[in-house]
Amino acid sequence: MEGLPDAAAFATKLKNTLIQYHSIEDDKWRVVKKTKDVTIWRKPSEEFNGHLFKAQGVIDDVVNSVIDHIRPGPCRLDWDSLMTSLDILEHFEENCCVMRYTTAGQLLNIISPREFVDFSYTVGYKEGLLSCGISLDWSEKRPEFVRGYNHPCGWFCVPLKDIPNQSLLTGYIQTDLRGMIPQSAVDTAMASTLINFYGDLRKVLGKT
């Protein structure tokens, strides 16, 4: 398979990287945006010349339902306002695939539409689930899109201790949008995108 010699080893390394992010001490993070029900932090990324973002908020649904809406599949396009297309290119097991997706322009199209090809892996974590991903250097490109690159990223979803039908959703995102964009514009877009992600997800889960 192109750019992915051993899916199982690749998945394990990715999972371990996300667990490492999840254990970074609180004082290493700086709050960049906060609403009444979502907080966004960031710190310098060790993967590229940008930031690792952390997002956290409570979702009023059970873990499996939340992750089913986040992981690659038919649910995702129904609610994620940033995503404009999603195709599964390779399927390994039920919880492991390569997907190609595109995103809409942002900040009045200062950031033009992007395309990503990501390896995605969903696995149990403590009492909940982790859905994580990383971009692959996929050779087939479409000229109408700038190819972005996701360094290790993912979403931890665990039930709240005293309210099991609610879930704590914590995300780690470090996206290199590439192209000629000032880093300040990327940082502004990322914080807003993550706030909107929680809002869109809450809306769709409120309807189900």
Side-chain angles (χ1 to χ4, degrees), residues 12-187:
T12 300
K13 184 181 177 189
L14 177 62
K15 177 189 76 171
N16 290 340
T17 300
L18 265 296
I19 290 170
Q20 182 188 334
Y21 294 161
H22 206 39
S23 63
I24 294 172
E25 297 92 343
D26 290 347
D27 62 4
K28 297 284 193 291
W29 299 98
R30 182 166 78 82
V31 174
V32 289
K33 198 157 186 153
K34 192 168 186 174
T35 66
K36 64 181 172 61
D37 44 21
V38 184
T39 304
I40 312 295
W41 300 262
R42 79 178 190 208
K43 67 180 289 296
S45 170
E46 294 178 8
E47 299 285 343
F48 77 120
N49 187 27
H51 289 101
L52 170 62
F53 285 83
K54 175 182 177 179
Q56 191 170 76
V58 172
I59 302 290
D60 193 15
D61 208 335
V62 296
V63 166
N64 281 1
S65 179
V66 175
I67 291 295
D68 275 348
H69 281 76
I70 291 175
R71 65 196 289 178
C75 291
R76 185 66 186 263
L77 275 176
D78 289 344
W79 64 270
D80 190 337
S81 59
L82 186 64
M83 198 174 277
T84 53
S85 72
L86 188 156
D87 300 295
I88 305 296
L89 302 180
E90 299 265 357
H91 226 124
F92 302 106
E93 298 165 25
E94 190 185 342
N95 63 341
C96 199
C97 70
V98 174
M99 65 170 176
R100 176 169 55 200
Y101 69 94
T102 55
T103 58
Q106 300 174 71
L107 298 179
L108 303 174
N109 233 34
I110 290 170
I111 300 173
S112 62
R114 291 297 195 267
E115 176 187 61
F116 298 85
V117 176
D118 285 8
F119 173 81
S120 176
Y121 177 54
T122 302
V123 64
Y125 174 78
K126 295 190 173 175
E127 312 86 40
L129 291 166
L130 162 64
S131 184
C132 50
I134 185 172
S135 285
L136 302 174
D137 290 318
W138 203 261
S139 57
E140 182 199 337
K141 293 184 179 174
R142 293 184 281 190
E144 65 269 32
F145 293 101
V146 175
R147 172 69 62 82
Y149 190 94
N150 286 313
H151 294 278
C153 56
W155 295 93
F156 290 88
C157 191
V158 294
L160 286 185
K161 282 195 174 76
D162 302 324
I163 318 171
N165 62 338
Q166 291 188 330
S167 304
L168 181 66
L169 181 65
T170 308
Y172 297 90
I173 306 294
Q174 48 186 342
T175 300
D176 185 351
L177 291 172
R178 297 180 171 168
M180 304 297 289
I181 314 168
Q183 189 60 45
S184 59
V186 173
D187 291 342

